[in-house]
Amino acid sequence: MGRLLHLDRTLDDLDPPRWAAPDADATHLVRTAHKLRCVPLSELRPADLRMLLTQRVALPYVLPLAVGLLLEEPLLDAYFYEGDLLLAAVAAPTSAWALLPDLAARLRAVIMGLPETAVGDLPRGVAEELARFAAQPGSPR
């Protein structure tokens, strides 16, 4: 988790190029993504991380932050429902996880250790996404 040594820096600092200001008619989502790129990593909340993950913004920096939270509380309710941050993380592209194989393996181990009852209570389709991620190469046996 070496990237976490820069918690006082922003995504604009760490993930060049800096983004230009959003257009005046930009959507709320676009304005929010732009705003979050200017927030120090240490100040990003779970809901912010979920949004950045789903929009695939600066994944080499955002994924480690999210996984750090998920290792402590895998079914964290970031904004919408229990497990929404976990779902956003496992939905990240394989190419992003390829840069973070140790974190991927740790998250897979956590997923495989979740009680079936907890996974069964998640919204439709989430259990399948978790199983898909856990079954990827490099999963603990």
Side-chain angles (χ1 to χ4, degrees):
M1 286 206 210
R3 288 178 174 86
L4 297 183
L5 296 175
H6 303 292
L7 292 175
D8 60 327
R9 314 253 328 259
T10 69
L11 293 173
D12 264 355
D13 296 334
L14 297 168
D15 184 48
R18 289 180 184 269
W19 288 9
D23 293 336
D25 63 345
T27 65
H28 175 72
L29 180 64
V30 168
R31 287 192 312 273
T32 300
H34 279 258
K35 178 181 162 191
L36 291 176
R37 284 188 54 91
C38 299
V39 173
L41 298 183
S42 63
E43 295 178 22
L44 293 172
R45 301 173 320 228
D48 302 331
L49 297 173
R50 186 204 54 77
M51 196 280 298
L52 291 166
L53 287 172
T54 59
Q55 297 306 304
R56 298 184 175 182
V57 175
L59 294 179
Y61 298 98
V62 176
L63 269 172
L65 293 171
V67 171
L69 294 174
L70 294 168
L71 294 176
E72 297 295 320
E73 188 178 345
L75 298 178
L76 176 70
D77 179 344
Y79 189 77
F80 291 114
Y81 55 84
E82 188 174 56
D84 61 351
L85 183 60
L86 180 58
L87 179 61
V90 302
T94 304
S95 58
W97 284 110
L99 300 172
L100 306 162
D102 294 343
L103 287 180
R106 290 176 68 191
L107 189 58
R108 285 185 185 103
V110 166
I111 290 169
M112 293 173 70
L114 289 173
E116 283 185 41
T117 54
V119 174
D121 289 341
L122 296 174
R124 179 177 301 170
V126 174
E128 292 79 9
E129 284 298 309
L130 297 180
R132 180 198 55 79
F133 181 82
Q136 289 178 0
S139 296
R141 307 239 181 264

